[in-house]
Amino acid sequence: MYAQVSQDVDDLADSDLAVPDAPDPARLGWPGLGGVRGRFAVWRALLDRPLTSYYLVLGITTLLLGLGLVMVQSTASVADLIAGLSPYSDFKKQLLGAAIGLPLMWVAARSRPRLFRAFAYPLLAVAIVGLGLTLIHGVGVSQNGASRWIAIGGQPIQPSEIAKLALVVWGADLLARKDRLGQLSDWRHMLVPLMPGTAVPARDDRG
């Protein structure tokens, strides 16, 4: 009898100390929560696929290219008409640049990183020299009060556009080399010489 009483007391204590199960979302008035979680799991599985990042970059690039062409047409057509040109004058130039740039993008996507790393420092040097030439009177071409172009063969070129690509390639090569040496654990190696090297073309671009 004593054993039976002890068992009943233990059962009551266990029932008092038991943690209730988590409430069902459907019982709380959230019937769609389970479906949202399921859809989120599906999208997460899609993002974990190996080629997802490639298609995301391709899709975003195509979207930005299309929006850029539309904005050029909508904003530059009036200026072209005022200047007595065709309303599609600037749009055709941008479309030509896109037609040339898309094959180059395809070639770049299929190229090895070693190719870009080989051009990192020469491209940065060319960008700095080009930015410096804009400061020389008679070499730099002034438009809208800013001297940020140089004329090569009668064609104006903006060195700052070259500098953007050069900084990305050079910075990626620099950080990759430091990562191989295990130096990126120190925050100072992430800033030097990356930040001073970035400041040089930025200072030249300000003129």
Side-chain angles (χ1 to χ4, degrees):
M1 181 176 180
Y2 176 77
Q4 181 66 31
V5 172
S6 299
Q7 182 65 31
D8 293 340
V9 171
D10 291 340
D11 293 339
L12 290 174
D14 292 339
S15 62
D16 291 337
L17 296 177
V19 178
D21 295 333
D24 189 358
R27 294 180 181 178
L28 295 178
W30 304 333
L33 186 59
V36 171
R37 290 179 177 175
R39 288 192 292 270
F40 179 77
V42 171
W43 282 105
R44 185 173 181 179
L46 290 175
L47 292 175
D48 288 337
R49 293 185 176 182
L51 292 178
T52 299
S53 58
Y54 174 79
Y55 287 116
L56 283 175
V57 172
L58 181 63
I60 293 173
T61 302
T62 305
L63 178 62
L64 291 175
L65 178 61
L67 290 176
L69 291 173
V70 171
M71 294 303 296
V72 167
Q73 173 60 22
S74 63
T75 56
S77 58
V78 177
D80 291 336
L81 287 173
I82 294 175
L85 302 175
S86 169
Y88 300 99
S89 178
D90 285 335
F91 176 78
K92 290 179 180 178
K93 294 179 182 179
Q94 295 293 327
L95 188 62
L96 177 61
I100 297 175
L102 287 175
L104 292 178
M105 183 184 72
W106 181 81
V107 172
R110 298 180 64 88
S111 300
R112 294 184 178 182
R114 184 180 302 176
L115 177 64
F116 295 97
R117 301 181 74 168
F119 282 99
Y121 287 88
L123 191 61
L124 183 63
V126 170
I128 293 175
V129 171
L131 291 171
L133 291 176
T134 62
L135 306 177
I136 301 176
H137 181 71
V139 179
V141 179
S142 180
Q143 294 183 10
N144 300 324
S147 179
R148 293 179 179 171
W149 290 263
I150 57 176
I152 299 180
Q155 180 67 31
I157 297 176
Q158 192 170 6
S160 60
E161 297 299 322
I162 302 176
K164 294 176 184 178
L165 177 62
L167 285 176
V168 170
V169 176
W170 172 74
D173 175 66
L174 177 66
L175 293 177
R177 293 177 187 273
K178 286 180 173 289
D179 182 59
R180 182 178 299 177
L181 297 175
Q183 297 177 343
L184 291 185
S185 57
D186 187 352
W187 63 271
R188 290 172 294 184
H189 282 284
M190 298 182 65
L191 300 179
V192 180
L194 182 61
M195 295 305 294
T198 304
V200 173
R203 182 67 181 88
D204 288 343
D205 189 37
R206 287 184 60 189

mmCIF file with all atom_site columns, all heavy atoms in Angstrom, residues 106-123:
data_model
loop_
_atom_site.group_PDB
_atom_site.id
_atom_site.type_symbol
_atom_site.label_atom_id
_atom_site.label_alt_id
_atom_site.label_comp_id
_atom_site.label_asym_id
_atom_site.label_entity_id
_atom_site.label_seq_id
_atom_site.pdbx_PDB_ins_code
_atom_site.Cartn_x
_atom_site.Cartn_y
_atom_site.Cartn_z
_atom_site.occupancy
_atom_site.B_iso_or_equiv
_atom_site.pdbx_formal_charge
_atom_site.auth_seq_id
_atom_site.auth_comp_id
_atom_site.auth_asym_id
_atom_site.auth_atom_id
_atom_site.pdbx_PDB_model_num
ATOM 1   N N   . TRP A 1 106 ? 30.224 38.004 -71.171 1.00 0.00 ? 106 TRP A N   1
ATOM 2   C CA  . TRP A 1 106 ? 30.227 36.547 -71.321 1.00 0.00 ? 106 TRP A CA  1
ATOM 3   C C   . TRP A 1 106 ? 31.653 36.011 -71.321 1.00 0.00 ? 106 TRP A C   1
ATOM 4   O O   . TRP A 1 106 ? 31.947 34.993 -70.679 1.00 0.00 ? 106 TRP A O   1
ATOM 5   C CB  . TRP A 1 106 ? 29.509 36.170 -72.618 1.00 0.00 ? 106 TRP A CB  1
ATOM 6   C CG  . TRP A 1 106 ? 29.434 34.696 -72.862 1.00 0.00 ? 106 TRP A CG  1
ATOM 7   C CD1 . TRP A 1 106 ? 28.541 33.811 -72.322 1.00 0.00 ? 106 TRP A CD1 1
ATOM 8   C CD2 . TRP A 1 106 ? 30.307 33.922 -73.691 1.00 0.00 ? 106 TRP A CD2 1
ATOM 9   N NE1 . TRP A 1 106 ? 28.787 32.546 -72.763 1.00 0.00 ? 106 TRP A NE1 1
ATOM 10  C CE2 . TRP A 1 106 ? 29.872 32.569 -73.611 1.00 0.00 ? 106 TRP A CE2 1
ATOM 11  C CE3 . TRP A 1 106 ? 31.397 34.227 -74.492 1.00 0.00 ? 106 TRP A CE3 1
ATOM 12  C CZ2 . TRP A 1 106 ? 30.502 31.554 -74.307 1.00 0.00 ? 106 TRP A CZ2 1
ATOM 13  C CZ3 . TRP A 1 106 ? 32.013 33.202 -75.190 1.00 0.00 ? 106 TRP A CZ3 1
ATOM 14  C CH2 . TRP A 1 106 ? 31.572 31.886 -75.096 1.00 0.00 ? 106 TRP A CH2 1
ATOM 15  N N   . VAL A 1 107 ? 32.551 36.704 -72.016 1.00 0.00 ? 107 VAL A N   1
ATOM 16  C CA  . VAL A 1 107 ? 33.958 36.283 -72.040 1.00 0.00 ? 107 VAL A CA  1
ATOM 17  C C   . VAL A 1 107 ? 34.568 36.406 -70.648 1.00 0.00 ? 107 VAL A C   1
ATOM 18  O O   . VAL A 1 107 ? 35.303 35.514 -70.192 1.00 0.00 ? 107 VAL A O   1
ATOM 19  C CB  . VAL A 1 107 ? 34.748 37.140 -73.056 1.00 0.00 ? 107 VAL A CB  1
ATOM 20  C CG1 . VAL A 1 107 ? 36.246 36.844 -72.958 1.00 0.00 ? 107 VAL A CG1 1
ATOM 21  C CG2 . VAL A 1 107 ? 34.255 36.868 -74.470 1.00 0.00 ? 107 VAL A CG2 1
ATOM 22  N N   . ALA A 1 108 ? 34.253 37.491 -69.941 1.00 0.00 ? 108 ALA A N   1
ATOM 23  C CA  . ALA A 1 108 ? 34.798 37.685 -68.599 1.00 0.00 ? 108 ALA A CA  1
ATOM 24  C C   . ALA A 1 108 ? 34.304 36.613 -67.638 1.00 0.00 ? 108 ALA A C   1
ATOM 25  O O   . ALA A 1 108 ? 35.052 36.140 -66.770 1.00 0.00 ? 108 ALA A O   1
ATOM 26  C CB  . ALA A 1 108 ? 34.430 39.071 -68.084 1.00 0.00 ? 108 ALA A CB  1
ATOM 27  N N   . ALA A 1 109 ? 33.028 36.213 -67.789 1.00 0.00 ? 109 ALA A N   1
ATOM 28  C CA  . ALA A 1 109 ? 32.472 35.189 -66.903 1.00 0.00 ? 109 ALA A CA  1
ATOM 29  C C   . ALA A 1 109 ? 33.134 33.831 -67.124 1.00 0.00 ? 109 ALA A C   1
ATOM 30  O O   . ALA A 1 109 ? 33.176 32.998 -66.212 1.00 0.00 ? 109 ALA A O   1
ATOM 31  C CB  . ALA A 1 109 ? 30.963 35.079 -67.111 1.00 0.00 ? 109 ALA A CB  1
ATOM 32  N N   . ARG A 1 110 ? 33.649 33.593 -68.305 1.00 0.00 ? 110 ARG A N   1
ATOM 33  C CA  . ARG A 1 110 ? 34.276 32.308 -68.612 1.00 0.00 ? 110 ARG A CA  1
ATOM 34  C C   . ARG A 1 110 ? 35.801 32.348 -68.481 1.00 0.00 ? 110 ARG A C   1
ATOM 35  O O   . ARG A 1 110 ? 36.471 31.358 -68.744 1.00 0.00 ? 110 ARG A O   1
ATOM 36  C CB  . ARG A 1 110 ? 33.904 31.872 -70.031 1.00 0.00 ? 110 ARG A CB  1
ATOM 37  C CG  . ARG A 1 110 ? 32.415 31.668 -70.227 1.00 0.00 ? 110 ARG A CG  1
ATOM 38  C CD  . ARG A 1 110 ? 32.094 31.226 -71.645 1.00 0.00 ? 110 ARG A CD  1
ATOM 39  N NE  . ARG A 1 110 ? 32.673 29.927 -71.947 1.00 0.00 ? 110 ARG A NE  1
ATOM 40  C CZ  . ARG A 1 110 ? 32.090 28.760 -71.707 1.00 0.00 ? 110 ARG A CZ  1
ATOM 41  N NH1 . ARG A 1 110 ? 30.887 28.744 -71.130 1.00 0.00 ? 110 ARG A NH1 1
ATOM 42  N NH2 . ARG A 1 110 ? 32.661 27.623 -72.013 1.00 0.00 ? 110 ARG A NH2 1
ATOM 43  N N   . SER A 1 111 ? 36.329 33.493 -68.098 1.00 0.00 ? 111 SER A N   1
ATOM 44  C CA  . SER A 1 111 ? 37.779 33.627 -67.950 1.00 0.00 ? 111 SER A CA  1
ATOM 45  C C   . SER A 1 111 ? 38.211 33.196 -66.546 1.00 0.00 ? 111 SER A C   1
ATOM 46  O O   . SER A 1 111 ? 37.418 33.234 -65.600 1.00 0.00 ? 111 SER A O   1
ATOM 47  C CB  . SER A 1 111 ? 38.214 35.077 -68.198 1.00 0.00 ? 111 SER A CB  1
ATOM 48  O OG  . SER A 1 111 ? 37.869 35.491 -69.513 1.00 0.00 ? 111 SER A OG  1
ATOM 49  N N   . ARG A 1 112 ? 39.457 32.825 -66.431 1.00 0.00 ? 112 ARG A N   1
ATOM 50  C CA  . ARG A 1 112 ? 39.995 32.405 -65.150 1.00 0.00 ? 112 ARG A CA  1
ATOM 51  C C   . ARG A 1 112 ? 40.375 33.619 -64.306 1.00 0.00 ? 112 ARG A C   1
ATOM 52  O O   . ARG A 1 112 ? 40.740 34.662 -64.844 1.00 0.00 ? 112 ARG A O   1
ATOM 53  C CB  . ARG A 1 112 ? 41.226 31.519 -65.359 1.00 0.00 ? 112 ARG A CB  1
ATOM 54  C CG  . ARG A 1 112 ? 40.917 30.191 -66.041 1.00 0.00 ? 112 ARG A CG  1
ATOM 55  C CD  . ARG A 1 112 ? 42.157 29.332 -66.134 1.00 0.00 ? 112 ARG A CD  1
ATOM 56  N NE  . ARG A 1 112 ? 41.869 28.040 -66.737 1.00 0.00 ? 112 ARG A NE  1
ATOM 57  C CZ  . ARG A 1 112 ? 42.766 27.077 -66.916 1.00 0.00 ? 112 ARG A CZ  1
ATOM 58  N NH1 . ARG A 1 112 ? 44.034 27.282 -66.532 1.00 0.00 ? 112 ARG A NH1 1
ATOM 59  N NH2 . ARG A 1 112 ? 42.425 25.926 -67.455 1.00 0.00 ? 112 ARG A NH2 1
ATOM 60  N N   . PRO A 1 113 ? 40.282 33.502 -62.986 1.00 0.00 ? 113 PRO A N   1
ATOM 61  C CA  . PRO A 1 113 ? 40.683 34.621 -62.116 1.00 0.00 ? 113 PRO A CA  1
ATOM 62  C C   . PRO A 1 113 ? 42.123 35.062 -62.335 1.00 0.00 ? 113 PRO A C   1
ATOM 63  O O   . PRO A 1 113 ? 42.459 36.228 -62.098 1.00 0.00 ? 113 PRO A O   1
ATOM 64  C CB  . PRO A 1 113 ? 40.478 34.055 -60.706 1.00 0.00 ? 113 PRO A CB  1
ATOM 65  C CG  . PRO A 1 113 ? 39.456 32.982 -60.872 1.00 0.00 ? 113 PRO A CG  1
ATOM 66  C CD  . PRO A 1 113 ? 39.714 32.374 -62.218 1.00 0.00 ? 113 PRO A CD  1
ATOM 67  N N   . ARG A 1 114 ? 42.975 34.148 -62.781 1.00 0.00 ? 114 ARG A N   1
ATOM 68  C CA  . ARG A 1 114 ? 44.382 34.494 -63.011 1.00 0.00 ? 114 ARG A CA  1
ATOM 69  C C   . ARG A 1 114 ? 44.511 35.604 -64.048 1.00 0.00 ? 114 ARG A C   1
ATOM 70  O O   . ARG A 1 114 ? 45.411 36.452 -63.949 1.00 0.00 ? 114 ARG A O   1
ATOM 71  C CB  . ARG A 1 114 ? 45.146 33.254 -63.464 1.00 0.00 ? 114 ARG A CB  1
ATOM 72  C CG  . ARG A 1 114 ? 46.647 33.469 -63.650 1.00 0.00 ? 114 ARG A CG  1
ATOM 73  C CD  . ARG A 1 114 ? 47.322 32.182 -64.097 1.00 0.00 ? 114 ARG A CD  1
ATOM 74  N NE  . ARG A 1 114 ? 47.097 31.115 -63.141 1.00 0.00 ? 114 ARG A NE  1
ATOM 75  C CZ  . ARG A 1 114 ? 47.510 29.861 -63.327 1.00 0.00 ? 114 ARG A CZ  1
ATOM 76  N NH1 . ARG A 1 114 ? 48.145 29.543 -64.454 1.00 0.00 ? 114 ARG A NH1 1
ATOM 77  N NH2 . ARG A 1 114 ? 47.285 28.939 -62.408 1.00 0.00 ? 114 ARG A NH2 1
ATOM 78  N N   . LEU A 1 115 ? 43.614 35.623 -65.034 1.00 0.00 ? 115 LEU A N   1
ATOM 79  C CA  . LEU A 1 115 ? 43.660 36.667 -66.055 1.00 0.00 ? 115 LEU A CA  1
ATOM 80  C C   . LEU A 1 115 ? 43.389 38.037 -65.455 1.00 0.00 ? 115 LEU A C   1
ATOM 81  O O   . LEU A 1 115 ? 44.087 39.013 -65.751 1.00 0.00 ? 115 LEU A O   1
ATOM 82  C CB  . LEU A 1 115 ? 42.647 36.355 -67.156 1.00 0.00 ? 115 LEU A CB  1
ATOM 83  C CG  . LEU A 1 115 ? 42.515 37.397 -68.273 1.00 0.00 ? 115 LEU A CG  1
ATOM 84  C CD1 . LEU A 1 115 ? 43.818 37.505 -69.058 1.00 0.00 ? 115 LEU A CD1 1
ATOM 85  C CD2 . LEU A 1 115 ? 41.359 37.030 -69.201 1.00 0.00 ? 115 LEU A CD2 1
ATOM 86  N N   . PHE A 1 116 ? 42.391 38.134 -64.593 1.00 0.00 ? 116 PHE A N   1
ATOM 87  C CA  . PHE A 1 116 ? 42.064 39.410 -63.962 1.00 0.00 ? 116 PHE A CA  1
ATOM 88  C C   . PHE A 1 116 ? 43.175 39.863 -63.015 1.00 0.00 ? 116 PHE A C   1
ATOM 89  O O   . PHE A 1 116 ? 43.489 41.048 -62.929 1.00 0.00 ? 116 PHE A O   1
ATOM 90  C CB  . PHE A 1 116 ? 40.743 39.294 -63.200 1.00 0.00 ? 116 PHE A CB  1
ATOM 91  C CG  . PHE A 1 116 ? 39.563 39.039 -64.080 1.00 0.00 ? 116 PHE A CG  1
ATOM 92  C CD1 . PHE A 1 116 ? 39.084 37.756 -64.275 1.00 0.00 ? 116 PHE A CD1 1
ATOM 93  C CD2 . PHE A 1 116 ? 38.919 40.081 -64.729 1.00 0.00 ? 116 PHE A CD2 1
ATOM 94  C CE1 . PHE A 1 116 ? 38.000 37.508 -65.084 1.00 0.00 ? 116 PHE A CE1 1
ATOM 95  C CE2 . PHE A 1 116 ? 37.832 39.857 -65.543 1.00 0.00 ? 116 PHE A CE2 1
ATOM 96  C CZ  . PHE A 1 116 ? 37.370 38.566 -65.725 1.00 0.00 ? 116 PHE A CZ  1
ATOM 97  N N   . ARG A 1 117 ? 43.767 38.913 -62.319 1.00 0.00 ? 117 ARG A N   1
ATOM 98  C CA  . ARG A 1 117 ? 44.839 39.260 -61.380 1.00 0.00 ? 117 ARG A CA  1
ATOM 99  C C   . ARG A 1 117 ? 46.066 39.769 -62.120 1.00 0.00 ? 117 ARG A C   1
ATOM 100 O O   . ARG A 1 117 ? 46.798 40.614 -61.606 1.00 0.00 ? 117 ARG A O   1
ATOM 101 C CB  . ARG A 1 117 ? 45.178 38.048 -60.513 1.00 0.00 ? 117 ARG A CB  1
ATOM 102 C CG  . ARG A 1 117 ? 44.002 37.531 -59.720 1.00 0.00 ? 117 ARG A CG  1
ATOM 103 C CD  . ARG A 1 117 ? 44.352 36.362 -58.843 1.00 0.00 ? 117 ARG A CD  1
ATOM 104 N NE  . ARG A 1 117 ? 45.125 36.784 -57.688 1.00 0.00 ? 117 ARG A NE  1
ATOM 105 C CZ  . ARG A 1 117 ? 45.372 35.999 -56.638 1.00 0.00 ? 117 ARG A CZ  1
ATOM 106 N NH1 . ARG A 1 117 ? 44.902 34.769 -56.613 1.00 0.00 ? 117 ARG A NH1 1
ATOM 107 N NH2 . ARG A 1 117 ? 46.070 36.440 -55.639 1.00 0.00 ? 117 ARG A NH2 1
ATOM 108 N N   . ALA A 1 118 ? 46.273 39.283 -63.336 1.00 0.00 ? 118 ALA A N   1
ATOM 109 C CA  . ALA A 1 118 ? 47.415 39.764 -64.115 1.00 0.00 ? 118 ALA A CA  1
ATOM 110 C C   . ALA A 1 118 ? 47.225 41.209 -64.548 1.00 0.00 ? 118 ALA A C   1
ATOM 111 O O   . ALA A 1 118 ? 48.203 41.952 -64.711 1.00 0.00 ? 118 ALA A O   1
ATOM 112 C CB  . ALA A 1 118 ? 47.626 38.865 -65.333 1.00 0.00 ? 118 ALA A CB  1
ATOM 113 N N   . PHE A 1 119 ? 45.976 41.635 -64.724 1.00 0.00 ? 119 PHE A N   1
ATOM 114 C CA  . PHE A 1 119 ? 45.697 43.002 -65.156 1.00 0.00 ? 119 PHE A CA  1
ATOM 115 C C   . PHE A 1 119 ? 45.450 43.956 -63.995 1.00 0.00 ? 119 PHE A C   1
ATOM 116 O O   . PHE A 1 119 ? 45.217 45.144 -64.233 1.00 0.00 ? 119 PHE A O   1
ATOM 117 C CB  . PHE A 1 119 ? 44.470 43.013 -66.076 1.00 0.00 ? 119 PHE A CB  1
ATOM 118 C CG  . PHE A 1 119 ? 44.758 42.575 -67.473 1.00 0.00 ? 119 PHE A CG  1
ATOM 119 C CD1 . PHE A 1 119 ? 44.484 41.276 -67.874 1.00 0.00 ? 119 PHE A CD1 1
ATOM 120 C CD2 . PHE A 1 119 ? 45.306 43.453 -68.396 1.00 0.00 ? 119 PHE A CD2 1
ATOM 121 C CE1 . PHE A 1 119 ? 44.744 40.860 -69.164 1.00 0.00 ? 119 PHE A CE1 1
ATOM 122 C CE2 . PHE A 1 119 ? 45.571 43.047 -69.691 1.00 0.00 ? 119 PHE A CE2 1
ATOM 123 C CZ  . PHE A 1 119 ? 45.291 41.748 -70.082 1.00 0.00 ? 119 PHE A CZ  1
ATOM 124 N N   . ALA A 1 120 ? 45.497 43.480 -62.765 1.00 0.00 ? 120 ALA A N   1
ATOM 125 C CA  . ALA A 1 120 ? 45.114 44.314 -61.619 1.00 0.00 ? 120 ALA A CA  1
ATOM 126 C C   . ALA A 1 120 ? 45.981 45.561 -61.505 1.00 0.00 ? 120 ALA A C   1
ATOM 127 O O   . ALA A 1 120 ? 45.486 46.696 -61.538 1.00 0.00 ? 120 ALA A O   1
ATOM 128 C CB  . ALA A 1 120 ? 45.172 43.486 -60.336 1.00 0.00 ? 120 ALA A CB  1
ATOM 129 N N   . TYR A 1 121 ? 47.288 45.383 -61.384 1.00 0.00 ? 121 TYR A N   1
ATOM 130 C CA  . TYR A 1 121 ? 48.185 46.525 -61.181 1.00 0.00 ? 121 TYR A CA  1
ATOM 131 C C   . TYR A 1 121 ? 48.376 47.360 -62.443 1.00 0.00 ? 121 TYR A C   1
ATOM 132 O O   . TYR A 1 121 ? 48.375 48.597 -62.364 1.00 0.00 ? 121 TYR A O   1
ATOM 133 C CB  . TYR A 1 121 ? 49.522 46.040 -60.631 1.00 0.00 ? 121 TYR A CB  1
ATOM 134 C CG  . TYR A 1 121 ? 49.440 45.620 -59.188 1.00 0.00 ? 121 TYR A CG  1
ATOM 135 C CD1 . TYR A 1 121 ? 49.090 44.315 -58.841 1.00 0.00 ? 121 TYR A CD1 1
ATOM 136 C CD2 . TYR A 1 121 ? 49.698 46.522 -58.161 1.00 0.00 ? 121 TYR A CD2 1
ATOM 137 C CE1 . TYR A 1 121 ? 48.994 43.918 -57.516 1.00 0.00 ? 121 TYR A CE1 1
ATOM 138 C CE2 . TYR A 1 121 ? 49.611 46.136 -56.834 1.00 0.00 ? 121 TYR A CE2 1
ATOM 139 C CZ  . TYR A 1 121 ? 49.264 44.829 -56.511 1.00 0.00 ? 121 TYR A CZ  1
ATOM 140 O OH  . TYR A 1 121 ? 49.169 44.457 -55.195 1.00 0.00 ? 121 TYR A OH  1
ATOM 141 N N   . PRO A 1 122 ? 48.529 46.766 -63.644 1.00 0.00 ? 122 PRO A N   1
ATOM 142 C CA  . PRO A 1 122 ? 48.604 47.611 -64.850 1.00 0.00 ? 122 PRO A CA  1
ATOM 143 C C   . PRO A 1 122 ? 47.353 48.439 -65.069 1.00 0.00 ? 122 PRO A C   1
ATOM 144 O O   . PRO A 1 122 ? 47.440 49.615 -65.463 1.00 0.00 ? 122 PRO A O   1
ATOM 145 C CB  . PRO A 1 122 ? 48.813 46.586 -65.978 1.00 0.00 ? 122 PRO A CB  1
ATOM 146 C CG  . PRO A 1 122 ? 49.428 45.406 -65.320 1.00 0.00 ? 122 PRO A CG  1
ATOM 147 C CD  . PRO A 1 122 ? 48.811 45.345 -63.966 1.00 0.00 ? 122 PRO A CD  1
ATOM 148 N N   . LEU A 1 123 ? 46.184 47.858 -64.821 1.00 0.00 ? 123 LEU A N   1
ATOM 149 C CA  . LEU A 1 123 ? 44.949 48.607 -65.020 1.00 0.00 ? 123 LEU A CA  1
ATOM 150 C C   . LEU A 1 123 ? 44.839 49.760 -64.031 1.00 0.00 ? 123 LEU A C   1
ATOM 151 O O   . LEU A 1 123 ? 44.385 50.859 -64.382 1.00 0.00 ? 123 LEU A O   1
ATOM 152 C CB  . LEU A 1 123 ? 43.746 47.672 -64.870 1.00 0.00 ? 123 LEU A CB  1
ATOM 153 C CG  . LEU A 1 123 ? 42.381 48.218 -65.301 1.00 0.00 ? 123 LEU A CG  1
ATOM 154 C CD1 . LEU A 1 123 ? 42.393 48.565 -66.777 1.00 0.00 ? 123 LEU A CD1 1
ATOM 155 C CD2 . LEU A 1 123 ? 41.290 47.192 -65.011 1.00 0.00 ? 123 LEU A CD2 1
#
